[in-house]
Amino acid sequence: NNGTGRPGSGVSTTASKPGPRGKGRESAVPAVATSDVPAIPEANFEITEDVALGSGGQMTKYRDNVAAIKALKTIEAERRRATAAEKKLLARYVGWGGIPNAFRNGVTGQVAKDWEAEVSELESLLTPKELRAASASTRNAHYTAKEVVDFMWSVVKKMGFDGGLVLEPSVGTGNFIGLMPKELSGRSFVTGVELDSLTSRIAGALYPKSAIVNTGFQKAALPSNRFKLAIGNPPFGAESLRFQYRPELNGASIHNQFFLGSMDSLEPGGIMTMVVSRYLLDAKDATSREKLAIDAKLLGAVRL
C-alpha cells in the first residue's frame, strides 16, 4: 500500500446443518450418538506428493470427485470431523471444470456416449440443487495446479510475508491452504470465500482451522485494511458481478472485480498475488489499472 487513496497493497500477478424442524416422525433428522463419534483432532490438511493432486484424465477425475462427495456426505451424516484417510479423498476433488460429460446436455437432456452410468450415479448422489450448481460450473470451475500454487507461495515469501491474516476470495476446495509452507501455516489464519456449497463444505472439512465462508465474493462483507495477504486464482470472464458492499466495483469484469475487491481488504503494506486474466494488463479500458496504480505498487508480474 502506498498510503494514498483507497486502502490497497502491493500486487504480484503470477502466473445438516439439519433441515427445518417439523412435526411428526417424517421430519426427524438421523443422528449419531455422541459416544459413537470418534475423537478426531481439529487440524488443517497438508497436501503432500502422495495425494497426487489433479492427476489423471476425465474419468479419473470423475471418480475422484465422486469418492470425495461420498466421503463428505458420510462425514456430514455422522456429524464429525474427517479422518486423515477421508481428507486425502476430499483433497482430490477438482470440481467439474472440463468434465461436461458427467451431466446431461442442458438443452437436449441427452447423455454423452459411454457416460450413461456416471451421469446416473451423479444424479443419484447429489441433491437437485447440488446437481444444478455442479452442472453450471463445468465452464469455469478449474482447480489450481500444485506447481502454480507452490510458485506463488515462494513469491510471497520473497516479498516478506511471514504470517498473518490471509484472504482467499475464491478458495475452492482450499489448495492454497493445503499447500501453504509449514513455516507460514502455523502463523497464519485464512478466510476463504466460496460460492459453491459442495465445494465450500469440502474445504471446511479439509481445513477446520480456517474460516470458510459459503457465499459469493460480491456478497461477502469483508473488512477493509484487515488482511496481510490476499492470494488465489479468481474466476475469469467478461461477466460482471453486482457487489452489495462495494458498489464502486460494479461494471468491471469479474476478474478485475476480484482483484480490486481483494486489494481493498488488505492492510497498508499488505501483499496480493493472484493468477489473473491477461486482460488485467492488456485491456484497452485502463480504468482498473488506474485504480491499481493509484492505490498500490506493482511489485512484479509473470506472463504465463
Side-chain angles (χ1 to χ4, degrees):
N1 186 338
N2 60 17
T4 63
R6 188 177 54 196
S9 75
V11 177
S12 169
T13 51
T14 68
S16 55
K17 199 173 173 185
R21 293 182 180 179
K23 296 181 180 180
R25 295 183 179 178
E26 293 80 8
S27 63
V29 178
V32 178
T34 303
S35 60
D36 295 333
V37 178
I40 301 172
E42 182 182 56
N44 281 352
F45 184 66
E46 179 186 350
I47 298 176
T48 53
E49 292 293 340
D50 62 308
V51 175
L53 187 67
S55 63
Q58 280 194 48
M59 188 57 72
T60 297
K61 289 181 171 63
Y62 168 85
R63 290 170 180 156
D64 286 343
N65 283 355
V66 167
I69 292 170
K70 288 180 178 179
L72 176 68
K73 300 266 183 176
T74 298
I75 294 162
E76 291 179 336
E78 297 179 359
R79 302 184 184 183
R80 59 172 174 80
R81 297 190 184 113
T83 64
E86 288 169 333
K87 285 184 176 180
K88 282 190 176 182
L89 295 176
L90 295 173
R92 284 184 59 81
Y93 182 87
V94 295
W96 301 102
I99 319 178
N101 289 342
F103 306 92
R104 296 181 185 275
N105 183 289
V107 177
T108 66
Q110 294 180 333
V111 176
K113 184 180 178 181
D114 299 327
W115 280 79
E116 294 84 359
E118 287 73 25
V119 171
S120 178
E121 179 184 32
L122 199 57
E123 289 177 343
S124 67
L125 186 60
L126 298 178
T127 67
K129 184 177 181 180
E130 291 170 343
L131 188 65
R132 287 193 299 270
S135 178
S137 73
T138 56
R139 185 173 65 89
N140 55 17
H142 296 274
Y143 78 103
T144 309
K146 181 179 183 299
E147 292 80 5
V148 175
V149 179
D150 285 343
F151 173 75
M152 291 172 68
W153 278 119
S154 71
V155 168
V156 166
K157 288 171 61 179
K158 289 179 181 178
M159 289 180 178
F161 178 72
D162 58 359
L165 294 182
V166 179
L167 172 65
E168 221 288 36
S170 54
V171 70
T173 59
N175 288 356
F176 281 91
I177 307 174
L179 291 168
M180 185 186 297
K182 288 184 178 180
E183 61 269 28
L184 299 180
S185 60
R187 302 196 297 267
S188 302
F189 181 84
V190 179
T191 295
V193 181
E194 173 56 42
L195 174 63
D196 181 70
S197 171
L198 189 67
T199 306
S200 69
R201 283 148 54 198
I202 289 176
L206 283 168
Y207 308 106
K209 299 187 76 173
S210 300
I212 307 299
V213 184
N214 178 206
T215 189
F217 185 57
Q218 72 275 20
K219 296 181 180 179
L222 296 171
S224 298
N225 297 305
R226 190 73 180 95
F227 296 94
K228 192 173 181 179
L229 171 70
I231 190 169
N233 183 3
F236 305 161
E239 65 267 32
S240 180
L241 303 176
R242 183 171 180 80
F243 276 70
Q244 180 176 354
Y245 299 103
R246 288 191 171 101
E248 68 275 11
L249 301 180
N250 293 337
S253 61
I254 187 171
H255 45 270
N256 288 356
Q257 288 179 318
F258 270 77
F259 213 73
L260 291 165
S262 298
M263 189 185 70
D264 287 351
S265 296
L266 292 172
E267 64 182 26
I271 296 170
M272 177 162 62
T273 178
M274 290 190 182
V275 178
V276 297
S277 163
R278 73 178 181 87
Y279 291 104
L280 176 70
L281 294 178
D282 294 350
K284 293 181 180 179
D285 183 350
T287 303
S288 294
R289 292 194 297 275
E290 289 173 352
K291 290 180 180 178
L292 291 170
I294 291 171
D295 299 336
K297 179 181 179 181
L298 178 65
L299 301 179
V302 176
R303 292 273 188 177
L304 299 179

